Structures are given as C-alpha cells and as structure tokens.
Amino acid sequence: MHRTITNIIENITPHAVESGIFATKIPDLEIIRSDCPTEELWTLHKPAMCIVLQGKKRVILGRQIFDYDMSKYLSVSFDLPLTGQVIEASKQAPYLCIKLNIDSSMLADLVVAIHNRQKVNSPISSGLHIERATQDILDPIMRLTSLLNNPEDIEFLAPLIKREILYRLLSKPAGHHLMAQSLGVGKSKQIAKAIAWIKANANKPFSAEAVAREAHLSLSAFHKHFKIITLMSPLQFQKNLRLQEARRLMAFEGVDAMTASSLVGYESPSQFNREYKRAYGASPKADVSVLIKNNATLSFINPSHDDY
C-alpha cells in the first residue's frame, strides 16, 4: 500500500510544485498542496472523494471533528458546509491530496447497472465519511494519476478508470447515499432536495415548513433526517451558508461588512456581527483584515473552487 501511495505522489508532484489547488487535464480531478498548516476555512463541499497522500487534514461538520491523514479518504455525498484546516504540512513534507469530484452522469449510468443486480439499501447516516483507502481504491487512483504524465491516453482511459473508482465507492459506507440520490429514492434524495432548496434561498427568511414541503417530508421527519445526514439543524445549515458567502464577499470582492450582511440575508447588522464573531472568533473587519494580510492563505484559497 505504501508503495502505491509513493507512486501516486510521484505521479502528481510535477503538477503541484507549490501551495495551491490545481485543476488537471483529467476532468473532475484536482491536486491540492500546502507547504504549511492553514487557517480554518469554511467551504461548501460538493460530492467528491479526497485522498490524503501526505500530511494531515481536519474537517468539522456541525460539532463533530474528523481528522484524516495518509491513506485515508474523505467521502462527501451531499453539498455540505464544512470547516477545513490543514494541520500537518511542511516544505519538506507538504500536505498532498487528490480530489475527485463525483461525475453525476457517470454515476447515474453506473447506479442503474448496479441497481439491476441488487436492491438499494439506504440506511440513514451522515453524508460525510472518513475511510481507509484500501488497495482496490488506491490501484485505480494510481493508474488515473499516471495519465497526467501520458496526456495522449487521458481521453480514452480516464473515463474507464473513473468509472472503476466510482464502482468501488458505491460499495463503501457512503455508497448508499450516492446510489439512492441517483435513483431518486429514499431519504437521501429527499434531504438532497432540501439542501438544494436551502442553498437557492439562503438569503431569504428561513421556513422549515417550506423546506419540509419541498422535500415531501413531515416537519418532524425533515428535522430528524436532516440532522442525521448533515450533523446540524436546517437553520444552522443556512446560517453557515450565509456567513461563508459573506466572508467570501468581504475577502475577495472588497464588499464592506454591512453590505455583505444585507446581501446574504441579514436584516440586523448587530446579529450578523455576533454570529460572525461566534463562527470565526473575530469581528468581520478584523477577520477579513487578517485574511487579506495573509497572502499565502489567500493565494491558497481560490474563490472559484468550492473546497480545498
């Protein structure tokens, strides 16, 4: 296993020579590198798998903390607002991670084929899992990353290898969520609809009843299953989205705190300031000032990306 990880590192190192998030010629595949630990950063993480090859990462969802390091991977089955932080990295041993976004059309084709052979088992569990990367996951990842150095083969071989990786993911603990969503059945699909509604209406007054109706769930069932999957209440989910977007507006687009709070849906600037300080440990002005001064952090966070 360690030899396989070493091979993957050798495959990706020429394509990530400094801290940053690097898109590759392989669709949906990104390389993340950091030469030092980072600040805590809030992000909306889309469905994907992220394998750590070197260093250590911490992710917080709701009130739960997840740490993962070499040969472990993060599997996210829903759009989830996470706090992420690289906690172990150096110039000599940088944090290295590869992220494979879930290709929804490829997933749908594969799920239909699998569903013809087996019944969907859809237990209710968190939409985030940390798993050890077994050899059946690492082997195709190694073959996929080797294509970065043989770009003429990408068009023909990358789709086949990505399909193999997705097939392996579907057999893991998070696979039932991906399968149920793709087939449009079960609580996984209903909560995915609720998350999409909250995202689209994040700057509007929150109505649990309206979201429950959108998800075709009773109010009590909606609250119960939403919290199991996202590890937070629907209102906390919306609040995280609002604060994250306000931070982005202030740090990357130069919007002042009062304008940002209004744009994301706050009617009271004082409430915005209180909730922002509770989330980030400083007032909006002080927090954003530190972010702007920290050029290394800003160069590492690319607002065009959803996560890191």
Side-chain angles (χ1 to χ4, degrees), residues 66-84:
F66 303 84
D67 288 351
Y68 64 116
D69 52 16
M70 187 183 75
S71 80
K72 294 179 183 175
Y73 70 91
L74 169 77
S75 175
V76 178
S77 307
F78 299 82
D79 290 356
L80 295 176
L82 308 179
T83 301

Side-chain angles (χ1 to χ4, degrees), residues 68-118:
Y68 64 116
D69 52 16
M70 187 183 75
S71 80
K72 294 179 183 175
Y73 70 91
L74 169 77
S75 175
V76 178
S77 307
F78 299 82
D79 290 356
L80 295 176
L82 308 179
T83 301
Q85 180 181 25
V86 175
I87 57 176
E88 187 178 293
S90 67
K91 275 280 189 182
Q92 295 72 32
Y95 169 81
L96 290 171
C97 173
I98 56 173
K99 172 172 167 280
L100 184 64
N101 296 307
I102 301 297
D103 182 324
S104 56
S105 60
M106 182 180 290
L107 176 69
D109 290 343
L110 187 57
V111 164
V112 168
I114 294 173
H115 184 53
N116 288 335
R117 298 192 335 231
Q118 63 186 57

Side-chain angles (χ1 to χ4, degrees), residues 54-72:
Q54 192 166 267
K56 192 171 185 178
K57 177 78 175 285
R58 171 167 294 161
V59 170
I60 302 172
L61 176 61
R63 297 180 180 274
Q64 293 198 27
I65 297 173
F66 303 84
D67 288 351
Y68 64 116
D69 52 16
M70 187 183 75
S71 80
K72 294 179 183 175

Side-chain angles (χ1 to χ4, degrees), residues 218-281:
S218 69
L219 189 58
S220 60
F222 164 59
H223 278 284
K224 174 185 175 182
H225 297 307
F226 192 96
K227 192 160 188 178
I228 290 173
I229 287 175
T230 69
L231 303 183
M232 65 185 78
S233 71
L235 184 59
Q236 186 65 42
F237 188 99
Q238 185 214 40
K239 185 187 297 183
N240 286 349
L241 294 183
R242 284 183 168 187
L243 292 174
Q244 179 184 313
E245 175 62 7
R247 198 184 200 201
R248 185 193 68 80
L249 288 169
M250 292 184 291
F252 293 107
E253 298 189 16
V255 176
D256 63 84
M258 184 171 290
T259 302
S261 69
S262 177
L263 287 173
V264 301
Y266 280 91
E267 295 181 358
S268 167
S270 60
Q271 181 188 1
F272 170 71
N273 287 334
R274 285 195 305 272
E275 293 185 355
Y276 193 100
K277 189 171 184 178
R278 192 178 300 122
Y280 299 118

